[in-house]
Structures are given as C-alpha cells and as structure tokens.
Amino acid sequence: MKYTITLLAGDGIGPEVTEAAVRIVEATGVDIAWESHLAGVDAVEAGLGTLPEATLDSIRQNRVALKGPITTPVGKGFRSVNVGLRKALNTYVSLRPVRSWDGLKTRHDGVDLVVFRENTEGLYAGREHTVVPGVVEALKIITADASRRIARYAFEYARWTGRRKITVVHKAAVMKLSDGLFLDSCREVAADYPFIEVEEMPIDRLAMKLVLAPEQFDVLLMENLYGDIVSDLCSGLVGGLGIVPGANIGDTCAVFEAVHGSAPDIAGQGKANPIALTLSAAMMLRHIGERVAAARVEGGIARVLTKGEVRTGDLGGKASTHEITQAIIDALPAPEEVRA
Ligand code: NAI
C-alpha cells in the first residue's frame, strides 16, 4: 500500500529533525509519498502568508501530516501558526505519551503516562485585547462540548490501550465557572466508564506530585494551557524535550509533531536530537495501520538508548543528528523481532 502524507519541515531545527525522521521511516520500507508544504516564517518569506491554504488543503486531503516545529515570534509579530493549524484542522486532541527509557538515567524510573490536552480553547487560544493602555484582558473560553469531546477521547484511549486511571486536572476552587465546567464535563463522560478509575487533582498539587512520584500517574486529562506546561514538565522527568513525541488529532485529520519547539539556539548546527520527532512518526505509522513498522522504529530507538554509545548533546553525548539517525537505522529490529 502506498500512502500520501503531508510533510511540514518547519523551521529552526525542524528541517534537520524531519529529514532524520523521514529517513528512519523510509528504512522500514513503508511506501510513503511525502507532500512537502510550507508554514510559518518560510511561508511568509515565500509570500504565502503564515498558513497557506495549499498546506491546509494537503493535510485535509491526506488526513495525516508529519510536522517539524514552527517558530512563533514572542509578543509582536504573527500569531502562533501551531495554534492556527490546530484551529483550522480542528485537531482538538493533543496526545503526548511520556515514558522512561532503559539506559537513560533520570531521577525517576518507570514513568509511563499519557498527557491529554484540550487543544482548541482555554487561555491558550490567545484571545486577548487591550482594554485601555496599560490594561490587557485575556479570555479563557471553556465549553462543555469541547471539554466533553477531549474527555471522551481520553477515556476511549484508556479503554483501548488498557490504561486504568485518569487524573482530571483543574483549578476549579478558584476558576469556579471555567475549570468547574471542564471538571463537570469530564465527570459526565467518566460516568460511562465505571471500569476506569478517576481522580480529580488541582494543577498545583499535580505539579508537586509529578516531581515527587510521577510513576503513580497513568492518563492525565486537562485544558489547553495546563497541558502545555505539564507536557514540558513531564518531558523533563524522562530525559528532556528531545525524546517526547506528540500528536494533534481531530475527527478527520491528525498531525504528528514533537513536543519541543524550533530550538533556535542549536538550529543549523547538526546537533538536534531527532528522537522526539521520530517517535511522533512512529505514532503516525501506528495511526495509519503500519504497526510493525511503528514497533520497529521504537525498537531501534530503544536499542540505541539502551546501548548509550550514540547520544546527542541534550542527552549528554556528542553525536550529531546524522550519526544518531544512522545508528537508529542500523539498530532497527527485523519485523519478526517486534510485537506490534
Ligand atoms: P524549544 O523546545 O525550541 O527549546 C527549549 C530548549 O530545548 C532549547 O535549549 C533547545 O535547544 C532544547 N531542545 C529542544 N528540542 C531539542 C532537540 N530536538 N534536540 C536537542 N535540544 C532540543 O523551546 P523554546 O526555545 O521555548 O521555543 C523556540 C521556538 O519554538 C518558539 O518560537 C516557540 O514558539 C516555538 N515552539 C514551537 C512548537 C511547535 O511547533 N509545536 C512547540 C514549542 C515551541
């Protein structure tokens, strides 16, 4: 079977890590025709605006995209292309699996959790305006519909993947209406899943417990901004942004991208860790039904991390993006060696 998948290389380290992920995916033999499109700074420079219609059309048509990070200017400048993309494609689920890897020494062992973040509303939607000079108002929009649909997705995911507990994260004691509605909506959905344990936890208490004993968590479910922060925190628990993958999923399209950004501090130096995007590509392979190839990619990464000889700078090594990419390709298990 031949697949057509949209490829957004992004900017900063984006082109380096997407090239690496594509090479590793291609080494599995899955037949993919990549449709490359622009977004962000590169699209602006090409005179196409930040998020060209052709880019959106390609994703809508192919239904699947692999995406490198895209820079958002701080303060002034254009609005986040990442947020725009999620809104335009209505990819309301952000799914970020976070796990410990053998051979990668961190403060905690046995972390294996999934962060579900509502992707379309909340404070993070960036609806803010100046009321009068010196006074800015930011809107936190929470709707029952959007809260219920992310909750439904998280509960269904837990059911199908055999996860047992969902922690619903909130600050409803203070944001009684907005976080209160999110919490109530999750409770409503939870009632349909009596076989899944549900706990409710204020975001500040979660932060403390994640740092102390992250192994106790299974699935975390929260609104947009909390999810953004908690995902990065969780990345730190298992070795950093260079190894945590992600996906933005809607009813019709899915965009697979790492948690990390465009890392301008190391862009163009051949130092970026391609593992996070490659693991996102493995999630993409599983999403399109190529489960053996997905397991092979993850297996190759596990072997390289366990051996510990080839590591990029963020993981304490000296290897280049190119070297670790080749090491992963060389370590890919054979199809009969993996459990898909
Ligand atoms: P960042 O994730 O780009 O970098 C934070 C730190 O982690 C830097 O020191 C960087 O060198 C390091 N790092 C990140 N990914 C790495 C990798 N694969 N290998 C080795 N080291 C890595 O976060 P930052 O600096 O806050 O954001 C930079 C830009 O990226 C901003 O414009 C931001 O808006 C954008 N961004 C885009 C995202 C996306 O496209 N989904 C997500 C997050 C940020």
Side-chain angles (χ1 to χ4, degrees):
M1 168 133 187
K2 187 169 180 111
Y3 304 92
T4 307
I5 291 178
T6 305
L7 184 67
L8 307 185
D11 52 65
I13 59 168
E16 299 164 61
V17 291
T18 41
E19 191 196 324
V22 164
R23 274 190 63 208
I24 295 166
V25 167
E26 289 187 343
T28 67
V30 176
D31 195 2
I32 298 175
W34 301 97
E35 253 179 44
S36 288
H37 280 275
L38 297 176
V41 186
D42 294 347
V44 172
E45 280 170 11
L48 300 169
T50 53
L51 195 48
E53 215 34 59
T55 302
L56 290 172
D57 283 347
S58 169
I59 302 174
R60 285 189 189 114
Q61 188 176 343
N62 297 329
R63 293 172 169 248
V64 180
L66 182 64
K67 172 187 167 295
I70 296 175
T71 301
T72 306
V74 175
K76 298 186 175 52
F78 57 78
R79 294 178 66 157
S80 168
V81 174
N82 301 305
V83 174
L85 200 58
R86 290 165 203 164
K87 272 194 197 151
L89 300 172
N90 203 12
T91 47
Y92 57 88
V93 178
S94 161
L95 189 173
R96 289 166 172 182
V98 180
R99 55 161 284 195
S100 305
W101 292 87
D102 285 345
L104 211 54
K105 196 159 169 33
T106 52
R107 279 198 190 89
H108 305 276
D109 295 323
V111 178
D112 179 14
L113 58 84
V114 182
V115 181
F116 278 97
R117 157 186 176 194
E118 201 291 321
N119 232 355
T120 60
E121 51 182 35
L123 260 183
Y124 200 95
R127 288 173 202 227
E128 29 177 46
H129 60 269
T130 301
V131 181
V132 290
V135 181
V136 164
E137 188 173 53
L139 300 178
K140 174 161 174 164
I141 308 282
I142 299 286
T143 64
D145 281 350
S147 304
R148 279 194 297 252
R149 71 182 175 178
I150 181 73
R152 178 76 58 195
Y153 197 98
F155 276 90
E156 281 297 313
Y157 177 94
R159 172 151 82 136
W160 288 109
T161 55
R163 290 191 176 260
R164 291 171 182 280
K165 184 173 80 169
I166 297 194
T167 305
V168 183
V169 182
H170 63 90
K171 191 70 189 174
V174 176
M175 279 164 280
K176 292 183 190 301
L177 290 182
S178 54
D179 280 21
L181 180 59
F182 183 79
L183 190 55
D184 282 345
S185 306
C186 291
R187 284 176 183 157
E188 196 184 314
V189 173
D192 292 338
Y193 302 82
F195 44 87
I196 295 175
E197 184 189 340
V198 179
E199 74 180 342
E200 298 173 1
M201 193 171 290
I203 177 74
D204 42 347
R205 193 172 343 133
L206 175 83
M208 188 263 294
K209 289 197 170 206
L210 273 174
V211 173
L212 281 179
E215 324 77 43
Q216 68 188 283
F217 294 105
D218 194 354
V219 174
L220 302 176
L221 170 59
M222 62 199 85
E223 61 89 77
N224 210 341
L225 180 62
Y226 302 156
D228 185 48
I229 298 166
V230 167
S231 311
D232 272 32
L233 191 160
C234 289
S235 306
L237 296 172
V238 296
L241 288 168
I243 56 163
V244 177
N248 297 307
I249 303 171
D251 289 335
T252 53
C253 307
V255 177
F256 294 83
E257 62 173 337
V259 172
H260 65 71
S262 55
D265 51 336
I266 55 163
Q269 299 173 27
K271 289 183 188 172
N273 187 348
I275 291 181
L277 191 70
T278 306
L279 288 171
S280 311
M283 290 170 70
M284 177 197 83
L285 287 171
R286 198 164 278 117
H287 179 85
I288 61 174
E290 294 287 347
R291 291 191 299 191
V292 173
R296 290 181 67 205
V297 170
E298 288 160 353
I301 290 171
R303 284 178 174 177
V304 169
L305 289 176
T306 305
K307 222 168 169 194
E309 286 167 1
V310 185
R311 282 192 182 162
T312 43
D314 57 311
L315 300 180
K318 289 201 165 68
S320 65
T321 309
H322 184 77
E323 284 163 344
I324 195 161
T325 303
Q326 193 56 49
I328 294 168
I329 291 172
D330 294 342
L332 285 179
E336 56 278 11
E337 286 181 283
V338 296
R339 262 191 37 224

